[in-house]
């Protein structure tokens, strides 16, 4: 199998191919694979019975017809719900998947998985241990990258799995973020596209040698300049578009030789 990870700028599907299928569902991840994304990004929260499930918000309000916190529902209860059926009529029966279900589903494709630990509002007890155990059980340690807005969670992952690939996720501007990441032995930084555009941060980031993966890159102009600049990855809801832009650029470069 071709090692997609060795190629230039990678395309990671944000919550799966979430422009086309209900976010963070098996359907959105399968679509990302078929659109030839190099990776998928997903968000993990814990159920009342302590199961890591893949859903972005702390509540189920936005993506299901019920309300309440993920942490107050058991997995069995969550499994009765349908995700975003009204907004995506082509997918009338998507479910909230467990992390294990997603890893099992994408494993054979060779795709990379960015697990975002959603510990910014609730710091779910033992979430880092539970997630690391599942990754190990699914034999996906070498194709998983952990990120979080909660940088303590990232350091916890490093304690549990010292060889794990990690990245700091952030949406505000952090002073000397590259030194901070290097000094705390984190492999990458995941900045927001809107802050990268505010000043010339990108140059500093790329020069640092850290993995620089920018989110959420949905605008084609942004895709173009970030791929041109050589960021490690763009994290996008439209993996098909980013893959095409990268391909066009490669073709142009070949034609110019
Ligand atoms: O991991 C990148 C991005 O997903 C972070 O923001 O809110 O979409 O999880 P959010
Ligand atoms: Mg996320």
């Amino acid at each position: 199998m071709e090692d997609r990870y060795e190629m230039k700028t990678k395309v990671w599907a944000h919550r799966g191919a979430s422009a086309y299928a209900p976010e963070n569902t098996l359907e959105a991840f399968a679509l990302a694979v078929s659109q030839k994304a190099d990776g998928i990004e997903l968000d993990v929260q814990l159920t009342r019975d302590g199961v890591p499930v893949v859903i972005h918000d702390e509540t189920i309000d936005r993506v299901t017809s019920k309300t309440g916190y993920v942490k107050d529902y058991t997995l069995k209860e969550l499994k009765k719900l349908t995700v975003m059926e009204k907004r995506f009529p082509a997918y009338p029966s998507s479910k909230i998947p467990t992390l294990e279900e997603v890893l099992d589903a994408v494993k054979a494709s060779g795709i990379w998985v960015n697990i975002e630990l959603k510990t910014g509002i609730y710091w779910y007890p033992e979430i880092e241990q539970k997630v690391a155990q599942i990754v190990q059980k699914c034999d996906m340690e070498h194709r998983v990258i952990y990120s979080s807005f909660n940088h303590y969670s990232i350091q916890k992952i490093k304690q549990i799995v010292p060889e794990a690939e990690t990245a700091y996720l952030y949406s505000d501007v952090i002073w000397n973020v590259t030194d901070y990441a290097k000094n705390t032995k984190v492999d990458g930084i995941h900045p927001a596209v809107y802050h990268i555009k505010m000043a010339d941060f990108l140059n500093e980031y790329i020069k640092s040698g850290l993995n620089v993966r920018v989110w959420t890159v949905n605008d084609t102009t942004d895709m173009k300049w970030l791929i041109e600049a050589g960021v490690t990855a763009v994290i996008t809801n439209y993996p098909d578009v980013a893959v095409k832009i990268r391909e066009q650029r490669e073709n142009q470069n070949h034609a110019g030789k």
Side-chain angles (χ1 to χ4, degrees):
M1 191 190 309
E2 179 194 23
D3 188 354
R4 292 187 190 156
Y5 199 57
E6 293 309 315
M7 288 164 40
K8 227 6 197 174
T9 297
K10 313 298 176 298
V11 174
W12 283 9
H14 181 241
R15 312 179 195 174
S18 57
Y20 308 102
E23 64 180 53
N24 281 322
T25 63
L26 293 179
E27 290 83 352
F29 298 126
L31 201 54
V33 170
S34 70
Q35 292 183 353
K36 301 209 172 353
D38 307 291
I40 54 170
E41 184 268 359
L42 55 82
D43 308 288
V44 173
Q45 319 253 2
L46 278 197
T47 64
R48 193 171 96 207
D49 44 343
V51 182
V53 284
V54 178
I55 178 168
H56 178 270
D57 301 355
E58 283 66 28
T59 69
I60 58 173
D61 305 16
R62 183 173 58 85
V63 297
T64 75
S65 57
K66 292 269 194 273
T67 58
Y69 289 95
V70 174
K71 68 181 178 59
D72 294 334
Y73 283 86
T74 63
L75 178 63
K76 200 172 164 197
E77 288 164 346
L78 289 178
K79 281 291 185 188
K80 292 183 186 143
L81 310 173
T82 301
V83 179
M84 295 184 123
E85 74 188 292
K86 291 207 178 70
R87 275 171 45 199
F88 289 96
Y91 297 93
S93 53
S94 298
K95 298 287 174 192
I96 298 170
T98 64
L99 175 62
E100 188 170 343
E101 285 168 343
V102 176
L103 295 183
D104 279 344
V106 301
K107 190 174 170 178
S109 70
I111 207 162
W112 283 70
V113 182
N114 174 201
I115 298 179
E116 183 189 339
L117 297 161
K118 279 286 179 207
T119 45
I121 293 178
Y122 293 107
W123 201 343
Y124 299 98
E126 313 276 285
I127 187 171
E128 296 86 359
Q129 285 88 340
K130 287 173 194 288
V131 167
Q133 266 169 15
I134 288 166
V135 170
Q136 191 190 25
K137 184 176 170 200
C138 297
D139 198 17
M140 282 289 284
E141 293 107 312
H142 305 295
R143 266 200 284 140
V144 158
I145 293 152
Y146 294 93
S147 66
S148 184
F149 286 108
N150 179 340
H151 297 181
Y152 285 89
S153 260
I154 291 303
Q155 288 301 325
K156 264 193 146 181
I157 285 286
K158 287 182 66 63
Q159 282 164 14
I160 300 161
V161 195
E163 63 282 8
E165 186 169 348
T166 51
Y168 286 141
L169 188 49
Y170 54 104
S171 54
D172 290 330
V173 179
I174 298 180
W175 184 71
N176 257 347
V177 68
T178 54
D179 286 348
Y180 162 54
K182 283 183 177 178
N183 293 340
T184 52
K185 306 220 175 330
V186 163
D187 310 290
I189 49 176
H190 291 188
V193 67
Y194 47 82
H195 109 226
I196 279 216
K197 289 199 262 189
M198 283 166 36
D200 186 23
F201 294 118
L202 192 57
N203 200 22
E204 174 198 330
Y205 292 172
I206 289 178
K207 271 203 311 213
S208 74
L210 293 161
N211 291 315
V212 182
R213 306 186 187 92
V214 186
W215 58 278
T216 302
V217 187
N218 290 335
D219 182 276
T220 54
T221 310
D222 289 337
M223 288 175 187
K224 279 180 196 155
W225 75 265
L226 288 168
I227 289 172
E228 193 62 42
V231 297
T232 313
V234 288
I235 306 177
T236 176
N237 298 354
Y238 299 85
D240 56 337
V241 176
V243 165
K244 201 165 168 194
I245 285 175
R246 182 178 63 188
E247 209 173 273
Q248 281 165 353
R249 184 181 167 270
E250 279 162 10
N251 292 341
Q252 276 163 9
N253 285 350
H254 282 304
K257 274 182 188 160

